[in-house]
Every structure is written in C-alpha cells, then in structure tokens.
Amino acid sequence: MKRASFCLLVCIALLFCVASASAFSVSYSEDQSAGFMWHYTISDETVLAVTDEGYNGPEASGGTPGTHRWTIRGLKAAEASVGFIYAWTWEEELPEPDVVYTFASDAAGNLTLLTTLGMPEQYMSGTLTIRLKENSSTGYVWTVDMEPQDSLSLVRSAYEEAASPDMLGAGGVHAWVYQGQVPGTVLLLYRYVHSADTGGTPDAEMKLTLVVRDDLSVYLMGLDGDYSMYVP
C-alpha cells in the first residue's frame, strides 16, 4: 500500500530545487516518526550522481517533520532523470516516483533542468494539499470560497485526468495547494456545481476548517459535508 498518509486530505512536505553552476540541491520534509522516508532513483548513474546530505530532525517531538537534503551533479554530457519517492521505511518494492526531474548535463557537469513530472508544489514546507474527484466531462467543477479572504495563497491548482486513456469520461482528480498568509482560523467552502451555473444549487458541498499557525504552516482541523464521496 503506497504511503497511507498521502491518501489523507493533507500533504505537508518540503521541496526546493535550486540550481548552482554545476549542481541542484533538493530538500524534502520527511516525517520519520510516522515511518516514512524519501527514496531516490537514477535512470543512468553514469550521467548523474546524487549525494545524500543528511536528515535534519525537528528540535521537538510530536510528529513534526524534519528535512532531508540531496545534491544532484552531472558526470558527463548526456540526459538522465532522478525520481523521488515518499514511502514506508520498510517497503521492499517502491512505488512509482512522486516527482521526476530530467536533466541535461554538459561535459563539464553543468546541469539544465529539462522537465519535471509530478506536482512538486504539494511538497513545499507548511503547505496543505486538497485532492478531490472531479469530472469535467460532465460539466461539473469545484468552486472554492475562503473566509477570511487572503488568509491563504493558492500555490497551484491542477487537474489530472484518469490514468487509463481507455476510460472515456472517467474524470480525474483536482488538486489545490495552499500556503498560509495570515495566522488564524480559515474556512474553505467547496461546492461541486455545473460550470454553466456556478451560482446554482451544488451537487455536493464541503466545509473545511483550517488553522494557519504563526510560522504560516497550514493544518486541517475539521471538515464537514460530502467528503467521503469525492476523496480519490
């Protein structure tokens, strides 16, 4: 079973990918107290090398994630990929990567990031990710209202179609990544309505109560409504 915690509504993690002259630094939040850790794979180890820079745990206990950091370097002129996977520490067979970076390395080892597969925004520190089933082929979409307004910033909103191309009209999953802006309690109201009548009676409705802490990290405190029907 692939990381049960990712099946929850909240994904809190960290991702930064910063280019230097000849290397990329990647950092992820890692909750070892919950039994999870990040793994990586390299498509061609003659092209890319990954150095584990170590894990920095939290100062206090209580399930607060720490940070794990790696440095990616080029070895020769070619293209290759590095995939990152968040999984149980004891998993023998790893699932598919959550994020895959493809680089071009030149002869001097300088890297250029060509593509990124996945949604790395959801792994930023202190963010909250909401994932809900949505079927745009039926004309229905989710609308979102926030109270108080501007308490959160929307880092990214993305729709991912069903994995199987043969499942015509099967719909997909819509993900929203939020980051805290102002400490306090926030109410998000999600309404599933027809795109031609966004002000009409919703087919489904959910209310989420969030808390933005002083460090602007975001936590889910409660939810009400048709949550179970639309969780992917």
Side-chain angles (χ1 to χ4, degrees):
M1 178 178 179
K2 183 179 178 181
R3 34 180 226 293
S5 65
F6 272 26
C7 295
L8 299 176
L9 195 61
V10 180
C11 284
I12 299 177
L14 169 70
L15 172 66
F16 289 114
C17 193
V18 181
S20 65
S22 59
F24 272 70
S25 179
V26 179
S27 299
Y28 293 84
S29 173
E30 187 172 274
D31 193 355
Q32 294 187 356
S33 65
F36 294 94
M37 66 179 296
W38 285 98
H39 307 258
Y40 67 85
T41 61
I42 306 173
S43 64
D44 190 336
E45 294 184 354
T46 68
V47 177
L48 298 176
V50 177
T51 301
D52 190 337
E53 305 290 354
Y55 170 80
N56 183 19
E59 296 181 0
S61 59
T64 303
T67 302
H68 207 143
R69 182 173 175 268
W70 300 263
T71 300
I72 304 170
R73 292 183 172 87
L75 300 176
K76 68 178 184 182
E79 296 181 8
S81 301
V82 178
F84 288 93
I85 307 129
Y86 199 47
W88 295 107
T89 55
W90 54 81
E91 279 195 71
E92 296 182 0
E93 184 175 348
L94 295 175
E96 292 297 313
D98 298 286
V99 180
V100 178
Y101 297 103
T102 299
F103 298 93
S105 173
D106 64 17
N110 297 307
L111 295 176
T112 301
L113 179 62
L114 300 178
T115 62
T116 302
L117 297 179
M119 191 174 176
E121 292 84 358
Q122 66 184 306
Y123 307 118
M124 292 170 57
S125 180
T127 60
L128 178 142
T129 299
I130 298 171
R131 293 169 54 84
L132 297 173
K133 294 178 183 178
E134 184 178 278
N135 194 339
S136 57
S137 67
T138 65
Y140 278 83
V141 296
W142 288 101
T143 64
V144 190
D145 291 316
M146 182 189 307
E147 182 63 38
Q149 294 185 2
D150 302 324
S151 298
L152 305 171
S153 64
L154 180 63
V155 179
R156 185 177 178 186
S157 172
Y159 177 78
E160 181 180 346
E161 294 184 348
S164 173
D166 298 328
M167 297 176 63
L168 184 64
V173 175
H174 200 143
W176 298 261
V177 183
Y178 294 99
Q179 196 165 36
Q181 292 294 302
V182 180
T185 302
V186 187
L187 177 66
L188 289 182
L189 176 61
Y190 277 79
R191 302 170 72 248
Y192 199 46
V193 297
H194 198 278
S195 57
D197 185 22
T198 56
T201 302
D203 193 64
E205 189 173 270
M206 283 181 290
K207 295 180 181 179
L208 291 80
T209 302
L210 314 176
V211 170
V212 180
R213 295 184 174 176
D214 291 339
D215 63 358
L216 300 185
S217 56
V218 187
Y219 292 87
L220 175 69
M221 299 301 293
L223 58 89
D224 186 26
D226 305 307
Y227 166 70
S228 60
M229 295 173 56
Y230 292 93
V231 175

